[in-house]
């Protein structure tokens, strides 16, 4: 009889401890979730993970965004050469030594900061729509597409005219295309690059970023940024200095297939 009472008491004590542990675990988990959400609301934050302090931009490590930016810089270089190959039968260095055009890499950071999520438009960390509905998802996609096309048009217009007016250098020419606005911007290239960027971020960006964050070690990503990433920036600065000093953008190499 006494043994049964002891067993019952021990069982009751175990149940109480289990409930307490569950409550404590739930509270700790909630704290972690709230802390993570806080990092996601801040443009820049330092988050300690596995004993390493990581610079975060709205909840994503800076170095992983930089890795995707490097991939975008290469993709931009390749797309420009594909377009030139189709139009003129020529591929070239695009004024760079390395096969990367850094302004394309900046698109990744701009997208992450300004848009956040194509299906749930987030402007500088603030959700535009209070709730996620079919209507909000459609509007988010329309806004994102319009933003890509509009910024492509304005960006090319501003950058092309800046180099032309300030240093007398003509980096590209859309004059032969219909519906162009000056030689540096036009409806066709703006729609082409805008729709291309939209599809890229709609279909590829999120799963690739997730894959990189899961598979690539943080230290590896950091070293790539400190080596190849810095080399790409220095290559772009070299091109800019050459334009400002000599009044022309040097074409390192060019191959004509016609």
């Amino acid at each position: 009889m006494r043994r049964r009472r002891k067993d019952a008491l021990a069982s009751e004590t175990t149940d109480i401890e289990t409930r307490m542990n569950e409550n404590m675990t739930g509270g700790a988990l909630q704290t972690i979730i709230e802390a993570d959400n806080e990092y996601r609301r801040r443009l820049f934050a330092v988050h300690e993970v596995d004993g390493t302090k990581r610079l975060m931009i709205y909840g994503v490590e800076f170095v992983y965004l930089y890795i995707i930016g490097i991939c975008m810089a290469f993709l931009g270089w390749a797309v420009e050469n594909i377009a030139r190959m189709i139009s003129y039968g020529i591929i070239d260095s695009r004024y760079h030594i390395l096969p990367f055009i850094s302004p394309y890499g900046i698109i990744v950071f701009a997208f992450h900061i300004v848009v956040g999520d194509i299906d749930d438009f987030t402007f500088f960390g603030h959700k535009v729509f209070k709730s996620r509905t079919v209507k909000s998802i459609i509007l988010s996609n329309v806004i994102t597409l319009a933003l890509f096309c509009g910024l492509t048009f304005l960006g090319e217009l501003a950058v092309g005219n800046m180099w032309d007016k300030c240093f007398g250098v003509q980096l590209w020419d859309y004059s032969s295309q219909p519906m162009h606005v000056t030689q540096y911007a036009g409806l066709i290239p703006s729609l082409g690059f805008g729709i291309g960027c939209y599809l890229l971020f709609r279909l590829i960006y999120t799963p690739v970023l997730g894959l990189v964050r899961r598979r690539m070690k943080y230290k590896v990503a950091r070293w790539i940024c400190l080596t190849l990433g810095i080399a790409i920036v220095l290559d772009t600065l070299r091109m800019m200095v050459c334009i400002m000093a000599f009044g022309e953008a040097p074409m390192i190499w060019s191959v004509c297939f016609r």
Side-chain angles (χ1 to χ4, degrees), residues 179-222:
M179 294 176 287
H180 66 88
V181 179
T182 75
Q183 71 181 67
Y184 299 114
L187 181 62
I188 293 176
S190 296
L191 287 176
F193 279 109
I195 293 173
C197 284
Y198 168 78
L199 293 175
L200 188 66
F201 282 92
R202 164 80 271 177
L203 303 174
I204 300 174
Y205 170 75
T206 300
V208 169
L209 177 60
L211 180 65
V212 170
R213 294 183 74 189
R214 290 193 305 271
R215 299 295 185 181
M216 183 177 290
K217 293 183 178 180
Y218 182 80
K219 290 182 179 180
V220 174
R222 185 174 60 186

Side-chain angles (χ1 to χ4, degrees), residues 1 5 22 34 62 75 82 90 98 106 115 153 167 177 186 199 205 211 216 222 226 237 242 254:
M1 189 70 176
R5 288 180 180 177
E22 288 176 351
E34 290 174 357
F62 171 84
L75 184 62
I82 291 172
I90 298 173
L98 300 173
I106 298 174
V115 178
F153 179 86
F167 303 101
Q177 296 186 6
L199 293 175
Y205 170 75
L211 180 65
M216 183 177 290
R222 185 174 60 186
L226 290 173
L237 292 176
C242 287
S254 178

